[in-house]
Amino acid sequence: MQTLESNKKTNLENSIDLPDFTTDSYKDAYSRINAIVIEGEQEAHDNYISLATLIPNELEELTKLAKMELKHKRGFTACGRNLGVQADMIFAKEFFSKLHGNFQVALSNGKTTTCLLIQAILIEAFAISAYHVYIRVADPFAKKITQGVVKDEYLHLNYGQEWLKENLATCKEELMEANKVNLPLIKKMLDQVSEDASVLAMDREELMEEFMIAYQDTLLEIGLDNREIARMAMAAIV
């Protein structure tokens, strides 16, 4: 039996005007958004495999997370195919290029904290917030796929959160420095796709709000205090 709260949620979802998934403008915007999620899942797979070289005792868990990301990639590829859209992968690779480069530099320097912040915190929080907003306006096929994916992404976020929490005493300085460099990139990435997101009926301000809430909640769980979190969040305002 549905609760009053779940009824309210259902009514809210039913009241949302869905975009026309068949228009050329929708498909054009979707070609880039779909490419971003496909590339994002591939990047996540590669990053978790790479992290296993820095945390070899976590090889089994990181390999499991990586395999989940490839499953997500296949699901989102099917979403594009369902709408008859060819994903713009050239755009997506460029979209992730700066974060990718920063991850690779950190990896080569053995900076586990920075790698985890980029992949398991920033990218996962970004994905979770975007998927939550998208689910409400997605076509039925993509909605079902995305609902399954977002449940997994919480597991990935939790992995990074727990590692950083356990090691906070020794990694806080690096965490805050890595945040200063990489959090502004998330805002720039969001700005870069705001027009395409709007065509898909995803509001830029809501996306940023959802991301910052998820990100700051994660930092709180890691063990940072409110002053430290506020200082880190300020890095997004550049």
Side-chain angles (χ1 to χ4, degrees):
M1 182 177 177
Q2 283 192 322
T3 63
L4 178 61
E5 186 63 30
S6 62
N7 276 326
K8 284 165 62 181
K9 184 177 179 182
T10 301
N11 290 336
L12 176 62
E13 290 176 345
N14 290 339
S15 69
I16 294 173
D17 290 329
L18 297 179
D20 185 342
F21 310 119
T22 67
T23 64
D24 289 342
S25 59
Y26 186 92
K27 290 184 177 183
D28 177 59
Y30 194 83
S31 71
R32 290 179 288 278
I33 298 295
N34 184 231
I36 287 169
V37 295
I38 291 171
E39 177 64 19
E41 300 295 350
Q42 181 64 58
E43 293 262 346
H45 167 272
D46 297 347
N47 289 348
Y48 284 123
I49 293 298
S50 295
L51 272 161
T53 66
L54 299 180
I55 322 173
N57 61 312
E58 294 284 328
L59 174 62
E60 184 177 351
E61 180 64 20
L62 287 164
T63 300
K64 184 172 77 173
L65 296 179
K67 287 180 178 178
M68 291 166 73
E69 301 291 19
L70 285 187
K71 179 184 175 184
H72 300 165
K73 178 185 175 182
R74 291 193 293 271
F76 286 128
T77 300
C79 290
R81 190 162 56 244
N82 180 61
L83 291 179
V85 172
Q86 181 69 44
D88 186 347
M89 299 310 298
I90 295 175
F91 172 84
K93 287 185 180 298
E94 176 61 27
F95 181 79
F96 279 103
S97 61
K98 289 186 178 180
L99 269 184
H100 174 81
N102 287 357
F103 183 93
Q104 291 302 315
V105 169
L107 179 67
S108 66
N109 291 323
K111 292 188 172 182
T112 305
T113 297
T114 300
C115 288
L116 280 171
L117 176 76
I118 292 172
Q119 175 55 54
I121 306 299
L122 283 172
I123 292 179
E124 298 294 357
F126 181 81
I128 287 169
S129 58
Y131 294 161
H132 274 309
V133 175
Y134 175 61
I135 282 168
R136 298 198 292 272
V137 294
D139 66 271
F141 182 86
K143 180 176 181 177
K144 184 176 180 180
I145 295 290
T146 309
Q147 285 173 328
V149 169
V150 79
K151 292 177 184 177
D152 290 344
E153 301 298 14
Y154 277 109
L155 297 177
H156 304 170
L157 181 70
N158 187 66
Y159 175 85
Q161 174 184 296
E162 290 306 306
W163 191 96
L164 293 167
K165 182 178 181 178
E166 290 174 12
N167 295 275
L168 187 60
T170 57
C171 76
K172 184 187 289 189
E173 185 177 344
E174 183 185 332
L175 181 69
M176 299 188 79
E177 186 60 34
N179 170 85
K180 193 184 303 181
V181 173
N182 292 287
L183 181 58
L185 293 180
I186 296 292
K187 181 178 182 296
K188 289 176 183 176
M189 290 164 73
L190 188 55
D191 288 341
Q192 189 178 350
V193 293
S194 60
E195 290 186 14
D196 286 332
S198 179
V199 174
L200 272 59
M202 299 167 67
D203 180 70
R204 181 206 173 282
E205 296 304 321
E206 184 180 9
L207 284 166
M208 192 64 189
E209 181 182 345
E210 289 269 0
F211 167 74
M212 290 305 298
I213 290 171
Y215 187 49
Q216 290 178 82
D217 283 350
T218 302
L219 295 178
L220 187 63
E221 288 294 326
I222 288 169
L224 296 168
D225 63 35
N226 288 331
R227 185 180 295 274
E228 290 167 332
I229 293 170
R231 193 159 71 245
M232 289 177 74
M234 285 295 290
I237 308 173
V238 292

